[in-house]
């Protein structure tokens, strides 16, 4: 099962249609804003999908083998701590994808990575922002081949 925590702007702007396109049936969502959760469920239904709404972060960590965190950077560490501490031995999560800066500073980023490692959760991370020139810079760098030929992008 796929879990999504954070159904605000970046989910609506960049991910809702992509996730609907996958036609994945087993998705559990959570957001502290009930309107955001309701919006995600309505959008899914429009695409023939049925998302389940979780009642807590803990529930997502207990039900989803993979989780996408679409959260503001300052919320990532507290959500991960809440999820792993409350779920504890009931964690089924094996993968977490974070779409943001990993943390608000180096020490917080390091702590996030240490927590995930301690629970055997593999981190997938993306710092390409929808509303910035980062993507253009990345494409330019890859195409320049200054650092050699790209063999894979994950």
């Amino acid at each position: 099962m796929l879990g999504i925590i954070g159904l605000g702007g970046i989910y609506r702007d960049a991910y809702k249609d992509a996730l609907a396109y996958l036609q994945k049936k087993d998705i559990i969502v959570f957001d502290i804003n009930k309107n955001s959760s309701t919006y995600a469920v309505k959008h899914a239904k429009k695409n023939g999908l049925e998302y389940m709404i979780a009642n807590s972060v803990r529930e997502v960590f207990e039900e989803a083998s993979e989780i996408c965190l679409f959260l503001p950077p300052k919320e990532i560490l507290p959500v991960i701590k809440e999820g792993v501490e409350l779920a504890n031995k009931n964690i089924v999560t094996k993968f977490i994808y974070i779409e943001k800066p990993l943390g608000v500073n180096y020490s917080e980023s390091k702590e996030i990575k240490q927590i995930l490692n301690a629970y055997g959760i593999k981190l997938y991370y993306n710092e390409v922002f929808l509303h910035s020139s980062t993507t253009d810079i990345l494409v330019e760098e890859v195409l320049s081949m200054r650092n050699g030929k790209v063999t894979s992008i994950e």
Side-chain angles (χ1 to χ4, degrees):
M1 176 174 293
L2 173 65
I4 301 171
I5 300 175
L7 301 163
I10 196 66
Y11 168 80
R12 286 189 308 271
D13 292 348
Y15 289 98
K16 70 176 172 43
D17 292 328
L19 289 164
Y21 178 78
L22 291 176
Q23 293 292 299
K24 189 167 173 54
K25 301 287 184 195
D26 53 345
I27 294 182
I28 187 167
V29 299
F30 178 76
D31 196 288
I32 57 169
N33 181 330
K34 295 292 181 197
N35 291 334
S36 293
S37 297
T38 303
Y39 172 83
V41 168
K42 283 182 182 176
H43 186 268
K45 280 185 181 173
K46 258 181 22 185
N47 291 283
L49 306 172
E50 291 188 29
Y51 289 5
M52 296 176 287
I53 297 179
N55 294 310
S56 66
V57 168
R58 173 187 182 166
E59 187 177 350
V60 177
F61 275 77
E62 289 176 342
E63 298 292 330
S65 59
E66 48 196 2
I67 298 175
C68 295
L69 298 180
F70 302 135
L71 301 166
K74 68 180 181 167
E75 298 300 324
I76 294 170
L77 180 58
V79 163
I80 287 174
K81 281 183 172 181
E82 180 181 345
V84 297
E85 289 170 4
L86 292 176
N88 201 357
K89 293 180 180 156
N90 296 325
I91 291 176
V92 299
T93 303
K94 302 294 179 223
F95 306 98
I96 285 187
Y97 169 77
I98 297 177
E99 193 290 324
K100 282 287 189 243
L102 190 52
V104 295
N105 56 41
Y106 172 76
S107 63
E108 189 171 287
S109 299
K110 187 175 176 183
E111 185 177 358
I112 289 168
K113 186 67 174 114
Q114 288 171 334
I115 291 169
L116 296 178
N117 286 347
Y119 284 87
I121 300 171
K122 187 167 182 170
L123 171 65
Y124 291 89
Y125 165 72
N126 178 22
E127 196 167 343
V128 178
F129 292 95
L130 181 65
H131 305 294
S132 79
S133 60
T134 307
T135 305
D136 296 334
I137 294 167
L138 180 61
V139 169
E140 180 184 316
E141 186 62 32
V142 168
L143 294 176
S144 76
M145 299 204 321
R146 283 189 283 266
N147 296 304
K149 183 178 177 185
V150 174
T151 57
S152 74
I153 297 177
E154 297 178 21

